[in-house]
Amino acid sequence: MPRRKISDFEDLKHRDSDGDGLSDYDEIFVYHSDPLNTDSGHDGFTDYQRARLNLDSINNVFMKDFFIPNESNNFKPHILKPRRLFFYSISAVAIKIFVMATVLVFPATAWLTPDFLKAESTQIVALTNGLRQSLGLQTLENNEVLQAAAFAKAEDMVVNQYFAHVSPEKKGLRHWLGSKGYNYQVAGENLAIGYSAPTEVLEAWKNSPTHYANLIDPDYNEIGVAMIAGNYEGFDTKLVAQMFGFQKAIPTPEPILVTEPTKPVVTVIDEPTVLAEKTTNPTPVPVVVEKPKPIVIVDVEEPLAQPSIVTGIEGLLTNKKNLDIKVLSPEATEVVLWVNDKKQASAKTVDNQVIFDLALNEGQNKLVAQSILAEQSSFSPEYVLELDTQAPTVEAEQSFISAISPKDQEVLIKIEAILSTDTKVAVVKYHGFDIPLKQDLTNDKLWVANRLIANVADNFFSPVVPASLVATDLSGNTLTEDLAWQKILLDTPSPVNQYLFIKNTESSNIKPIFDLSTWYFRVMLLVAFVALLLNIFIEIKKQHLKTIASTVAFMTLLSLLILF
C-alpha cells in the first residue's frame, strides 16, 4: 500500500464529522479525540471545551502528553506550558493572599493562646538560665508563686494602662509578692512591652543596667515569668513581667522540754501585773575627752617641729571609707592621729614619716596629727574632710520619661527627674542612647532633658523596657534606678511583620490554615519538579529553554510561598 502524504489529509481539515467545532484533522492529530464523538472522554467535557482549556483528551494519551515530551505535544509537556504555569502561579498567590487576609483581619493578640504565651514565658526562663550558666552562676528554679505574682502584675498594667514598677495606686513589687504569700529575703523585677520574640526581650534587658543586674544577681535562686496579650494605649501588644526571689528560711521550732510541775511561789504585791517586759537603757553620762595640750618643756631652746599631713585631704569630699594618711614628723619618734578629738591611731616614725590606714566616720572628720619626742609634743593644724557614702535619691513618683513622634523617623524624648540636691551628674540610658540631664535653673531638684532622635530604627520601641536613670553626687556615689514611662510610642508592625509574627506563633487557632496552604504548595512543587525532570531527561536532546526557565521560576515562587 503506498505511503500517504500529508496532502492526502487536507480534506480532513475542512471536515467536522461530529459538529463540535473541531476539524477531524485536529481531533485526530492534535487533540487525539474521536472525530465522530463530541465527548470522547465521556466526562461531561466536549472535545471543543477541552481544546479551549488546552486539555488533552482520551485513550491514555492525556497523561502522556500532559507530563511526557513527545512528538504529539511538540516535546512540550502540557503541564509545563507557560500559560498553564502562569495560571498555577496566580492560583498559588491568590491562596496566599487569602491566608494573609484571614490572619490580618483580626488583631494579633486574638491569635495568642494561653498555651503560646506560657511557652514563651518558659523560653524566657530558659534564656535567663542560659545567660547565668555562661557566667558560671547558679540557675534559677521556676516558682509558681512568683509566676502568679508576675501574672497579676502584667494583668494590672493592661487593666490600668501603665508601664512602671509602681502602679498609679502605689502598688509595687512588695505588694504583688505579698498578695501571693511569697515570703522573701531579696526580690527583683524586670518588665517589657511590645516585642515579637523572647530573644528580643532578653537582649533589651541585657542592654539595660538595672535589668541586667537582676538577670545575673547571685542572690536569687527562684524565678517566675508571665506574659499577657492586650491593648495598651491603642496598640495590640504583649507585656511580660519577670520576678526573681530568694525566700526566707522557715525557722525550725526548738523542742519543748516537758518537766514535772513545781509548786509556784506566790508573792503578793500591790503593783499591777506586767505582761511585757521593757528594758530601758540608762542615759549614758557623756564623757568629755579633751584634746591633749602640748607639754611645755622648760629649759629647751627649740620646740619640737610641727607635724604635717601631706596627703591632700583638706576640704576633701569622698565616698571612700578608708584612706591612707601620710604624716611628716621631723625629729619625732612617734606620731598620734586624732580624729574628731579622739585618739584614732599611733605609730613609730620611719624616716621621719608615718602612714596611717584611716577608717573615716560618716559625715565630717577633723584630723590632727601629734608628734612626740620624749616629753616633747607638737600638733599639726586641723584638717577637715567629709565622708559621704549615701547615693543620691530620686522621687520616683514625680519622675518620668516620655516619647512623642513629631515626624516620621523622628522621636522626641522628654525626661523629668526629681533628684536630691547633692546630685552632680544625671543621665538616662535607653536602647544604646545616653541622654544627659540638666539641672533646672529655678528648681535645684529638677533635672530635665529634651532629646530629638532622628533616623530612628524600626525596632527602637520593640521591645520597650523601663529606662535606666544613673545619677552621681559630688562624692562619686551613684544611683541606678528604673525610670517609669509616662507615654510610650510602641512600634506598629507592618502587615508583613504582623503576618510573620502570627505565623511563627503556631497558634492552634490559625495553624490548620497555614498547614493546609503549605501542603498544597508542597504538592504543586513536587509535581512541577517531577515534570521538569521528565521533560529534561526523556528527550534530553530536544529541550525548550523557555519551558525550563518558566518551570524553574514557578518552582522558585512556590518555595517562597512555603517559606513565607
Side-chain angles (χ1 to χ4, degrees):
M1 183 177 180
R3 187 173 182 180
R4 301 184 69 178
K5 300 178 181 179
I6 295 179
S7 58
D8 298 334
F9 299 97
E10 285 296 326
D11 60 328
L12 296 178
K13 294 183 178 180
H14 306 286
R15 185 187 305 169
D16 184 5
S17 300
D18 54 6
D20 60 359
L22 296 176
S23 68
D24 293 351
Y25 179 88
D26 287 340
E27 291 206 55
I28 294 172
F29 297 105
V30 178
Y31 300 108
H32 309 286
S33 57
D34 185 356
L36 302 178
N37 188 346
T38 58
D39 185 8
S40 302
H42 304 288
D43 55 3
F45 284 93
T46 66
D47 296 340
Y48 178 78
Q49 288 174 327
R50 284 184 170 277
R52 291 293 302 271
L53 294 173
N54 204 19
L55 297 175
D56 287 301
S57 188
I58 59 170
N59 301 328
N60 298 323
V61 179
F62 169 74
M63 296 301 294
K64 177 182 177 182
D65 289 347
F66 202 75
F67 287 100
I68 300 174
N70 57 78
E71 292 183 359
S72 63
N73 59 21
N74 194 23
F75 303 101
K76 296 179 181 179
H78 294 324
I79 192 175
L80 300 183
K81 287 184 177 181
R83 285 186 300 173
R84 289 180 181 273
L85 294 177
F86 179 75
F87 174 76
Y88 299 150
S89 300
I90 294 298
S91 301
V93 172
I95 291 174
K96 177 58 73 172
I97 292 175
F98 172 77
V99 173
M100 292 184 65
T102 303
V103 170
L104 298 178
V105 72
F106 298 102
T109 53
W111 304 109
L112 302 180
T113 61
D115 289 342
F116 169 75
L117 296 175
K118 185 176 181 180
E120 283 209 336
S121 300
T122 303
Q123 188 176 352
I124 287 183
V125 174
L127 290 170
T128 302
N129 280 331
L131 172 64
R132 293 174 69 91
Q133 280 183 326
S134 67
L135 300 175
L137 298 172
Q138 176 190 4
T139 57
L140 306 174
E141 293 291 333
N142 193 57
N143 183 280
E144 293 184 357
V145 179
L146 274 179
Q147 187 174 348
F151 182 84
K153 169 65 177 180
E155 187 177 45
D156 188 68
M157 287 191 293
V158 173
V159 172
N160 293 301
Q161 294 290 286
Y162 72 94
F163 181 66
H165 291 291
V166 180
S167 72
E169 290 77 21
K170 308 299 184 294
K171 297 177 182 178
L173 178 60
R174 184 187 300 274
H175 168 82
W176 301 113
L177 295 178
S179 67
K180 301 302 177 182
Y182 189 82
N183 192 20
Y184 62 93
Q185 289 185 1
V186 289
E189 178 183 78
N190 284 345
L191 303 175
I193 185 175
Y195 57 92
S196 297
T199 51
E200 291 183 2
V201 177
L202 194 77
E203 198 62 30
W205 283 340
K206 287 167 62 177
N207 293 330
S208 170
T210 52
H211 297 83
Y212 184 69
N214 275 336
L215 292 174
I216 65 171
D217 195 323
D219 291 339
Y220 301 137
N221 67 349
E222 293 179 325
I223 187 174
V225 177
M227 290 185 178
I228 190 169
N231 185 280
Y232 183 84
E233 294 186 354
F235 293 90
D236 289 312
T237 186
K238 293 186 297 182
L239 294 93
V240 58
Q242 181 185 48
M243 292 187 179
F244 307 87
F246 183 86
Q247 296 192 65
K248 291 182 179 180
I250 301 175
T252 304
E254 297 183 359
I256 301 174
L257 300 178
V258 179
T259 57
E260 292 293 331
T262 57
K263 185 177 180 180
V265 177
V266 179
T267 304
V268 179
I269 56 175
D270 295 330
E271 297 180 0
T273 305
V274 178
L275 299 180
E277 186 177 19
K278 180 178 180 181
T279 304
T280 304
N281 292 325
T283 304
V285 179
V287 179
V288 179
V289 180
E290 296 182 356
K291 185 169 65 177
K293 298 179 180 180
I295 302 174
V296 180
I297 306 297
V298 185
D299 299 330
V300 175
E301 295 182 357
E302 294 183 3
L304 184 62
Q306 187 181 48
S308 61
I309 299 176
V310 296
T311 305
I313 61 171
E314 179 60 31
L316 177 66
L317 179 62
T318 182
N319 62 351
K320 297 180 180 179
K321 295 182 179 180
N322 291 80
L323 289 177
D324 288 337
I325 304 297
K326 184 178 181 180
V327 180
L328 292 181
S329 181
E331 305 175 3
T333 58
E334 183 181 1
V335 174
V336 177
L337 188 64
W338 298 80
V339 180
N340 294 335
D341 296 333
K342 294 181 181 180
K343 183 177 179 180
Q344 184 74 17
S346 64
K348 300 294 183 182
T349 59
V350 178
D351 297 331
N352 295 325
Q353 66 180 17
V354 173
I355 298 179
F356 293 100
D357 181 12
L358 177 63
L360 298 176
N361 301 313
E362 186 73 25
Q364 192 178 71
N365 291 262
K366 299 178 180 179
L367 275 63
V368 174
Q370 177 187 9
S371 293
I372 298 176
L373 175 63
E375 295 182 353
Q376 289 183 285
S377 177
S378 63
F379 292 86
S380 70
E382 186 177 70
Y383 298 83
V384 180
L385 69 156
E386 185 174 351
L387 173 65
D388 178 14
T389 60
Q390 302 299 317
T393 58
V394 58
E395 296 183 23
E397 297 176 5
Q398 302 180 46
S399 305
F400 66 88
I401 179 172
S402 184
I404 61 173
S405 181
K407 295 181 181 179
D408 290 341
Q409 302 299 315
E410 286 187 355
V411 171
L412 177 62
I413 303 292
K414 181 181 180 181
I415 303 169
E416 290 188 8
I418 305 298
L419 298 166
S420 54
T421 54
D422 60 342
T423 304
K424 180 181 179 182
V425 177
V427 62
V428 170
K429 298 178 178 290
Y430 179 75
H431 207 78
F433 285 87
D434 288 352
I435 305 175
L437 277 65
K438 294 183 179 180
Q439 193 172 25
D440 188 79
L441 297 178
T442 60
N443 184 350
D444 59 355
K445 289 187 175 183
L446 176 62
W447 291 72
V448 298
N450 290 282
R451 173 79 174 270
L452 182 64
I453 302 175
N455 300 321
V456 176
D458 292 338
N459 62 343
F460 189 78
F461 290 104
S462 178
V464 175
V465 299
S468 297
L469 170 66
V470 180
T472 306
D473 64 12
L474 298 173
S475 303
N477 301 303
T478 300
L479 164 75
T480 303
E481 189 166 318
D482 285 343
L483 197 60
W485 282 92
Q486 187 181 72
K487 181 175 178 56
I488 303 175
L489 282 176
L490 292 176
D491 288 331
T492 303
S494 65
V496 173
N497 289 336
Q498 183 175 345
Y499 167 80
L500 291 175
F501 166 69
I502 297 173
K503 183 175 185 290
N504 293 330
T505 63
E506 296 186 354
S507 169
S508 58
N509 297 333
I510 195 66
K511 193 173 185 296
I513 299 177
F514 283 116
D515 290 345
L516 184 61
S517 61
T518 300
W519 277 110
Y520 174 74
F521 298 143
R522 287 175 178 173
V523 170
M524 293 183 68
L525 179 62
L526 178 62
V527 171
F529 179 71
V530 172
L532 181 61
L533 290 181
L534 294 174
N535 177 74
I536 294 175
F537 292 106
I538 289 181
E539 293 289 345
I540 197 168
K541 294 182 179 181
K542 298 180 180 180
Q543 298 298 320
H544 298 274
L545 295 180
K546 183 178 180 180
T547 300
I548 296 176
S550 58
T551 305
V552 171
F554 175 64
M555 294 171 60
T556 303
L557 174 64
L558 289 175
S559 300
L560 293 176
L561 292 178
I562 292 172
L563 294 175
F564 185 71

